[in-house]
Amino acid sequence: MFCKLKKGLLPHSSELLLTTICIQAGLKELGTKILSQYASTRELGFRNLTFFVRKGSNLAMEEPMSNVIFDLDGTLLDTERIVDEVCEEFLVAKYGKQWDGRNLEKRLGKKPLQAAAAIVEDYELPCTPEQFLAETVDLVRGRFRNAKALPGANRLLKHLVAHKIPIAIGSNSYRSFIAEKLAPHSGWTENFPVIVAGDEVQEPKPSPQIFLEAAKRLNATPSCCLVIEDSPTGITAGKAAGMKVVAVPSLPSKASRHLYASADQILSSLLDFKPELWGLPPFQDWIANALPIEPWYISGPVIRGFGRGSKVLGIPTANLPTGAFSKQLAEQVCGIYLGWARLSDKGVFKMVMSVGWNPYFDNAEKTVEPWLLHEFPEDFYGEELRLIVVGYIRPEANFSSLEDLINKIHEDGRIAKAALDVPPYSAFQEDKFLQQ
Ligand code: ADP
Ligand code: RBF
Ligand code: MG
């Protein structure tokens, strides 16, 4: 019965009623489907509807969120990479020690002095945390301007600002550092009139003080504030403040997952944030079941992979040596993408690929696995392959059976095939990078 309904056919009250009935009858998926089909263009109605859906969902919420408080380092900005660079150089130069980024969980989301203490202890440095901080702080600070916005950060901020959702920053970092970090990013300073820093409260995260102070300055009740955080310390703080917390973990390993257990939702990246689940206006920027992204370009000779694409899944993936673009790869969100591929002897083809650790197989390295959507009579190892990646489909997932994984990959293939026929994705087929 529901399948036959067309968009716009129902008056708003009926959408609400149908959705509510579905949820109460335990048909959460159907309810959500109705919600997204009928309500996405009606913002006010959408907020109310979402509230009903969420009441029946396992993300149960008493009231829609009306404010969003962001952590900064590791959530909006990739500052960890800068700390890494500096520590790598400093430890070798001063102490002849090799930086390996170990025990990130001891530093993540901590105040600068606490993070310094963790490094001094872990590397058995012959200095005090205060000395270490004094010697490195300016080096790190000098590079703040190089910190890149994390994938999806600008998109989310623009969206919230456009919809006049009050936003704030709650960070353990020092106030002056925060200002320096925001400055290079267009619109960030202006859009965050409320910033609460670690040196503006008595107790930093995991105490709730930073977030409670941010709520106060936003003139909001804590239960209407949604916190977005990358660190377990920040998640503890957000929950202690009585807020909803979405985690975008900076510690992606399975072993760290339990540290995020108290978050209300865990996402692979900000690209997966669904505002409507929190009573906020939905994004309208998906096109043909994919999200257009800033294109990225990679290339190399096709090499042997794990030897299971064709054999185990019946889906061959032409692997590339990742060494040549390792930095670029480290910055990319793990997930499933679509784009165009060119084989030097064969032409240009549609392509869908996974980027990441293949959780189903629990790989030890981050790889790219491009499946060219074309039947080839034979292998093409050694041939040069160029890829333009132009759209994001979904995060990497684990599956309870191989069959489920295979079905999902075929679905990704269908999405990619269709999306690549329409703008903006279709235009990249003519990109110079694929013509040479
Ligand atoms: P490997 O583990 O060595 O990557 P796969 O079973 O994944 O092996 O097969 C990938 C190889 O199959 C590619 O390197 C390529 O030579 C070949 N191949 C044939 N058709 C395709 C296709 N449509 N997409 C990707 N690779 C293909
Ligand atoms: N592996 C996973 O573990 N989880 C996934 O969600 C997943 N999605 C994929 C989507 C596409 C389009 C492709 C081509 C592969 C995907 N794989 C995924 C990777 C698959 O496990 C990999 O290609 C094989 O392990 C071959 O090495
Ligand atoms: Mg392969």
Side-chain angles (χ1 to χ4, degrees), residues 303-310 315-319 368-370 381:
I303 54 163
R304 299 216 167 252
F306 298 104
R308 64 175 174 236
S310 322
I315 299 166
T317 53
N319 298 74
V368 293
E369 304 275 341
Y381 289 109

Side-chain angles (χ1 to χ4, degrees), residues 72 74 372 427:
L72 181 59
L372 277 52

Side-chain angles (χ1 to χ4, degrees), residues 296-300 340 342 348 384-389 428 430-436:
W296 42 290
Y297 299 77
I298 48 180
S299 63
W340 294 98
R342 173 186 176 264
V348 176
E384 197 199 43
L385 174 63
R386 292 186 175 200
L387 303 175
I388 305 187
V389 188
F428 291 95
E430 314 298 333
D431 195 289
K432 274 210 299 274
F433 182 70
L434 302 176
Q435 311 307 326
Q436 296 146 15

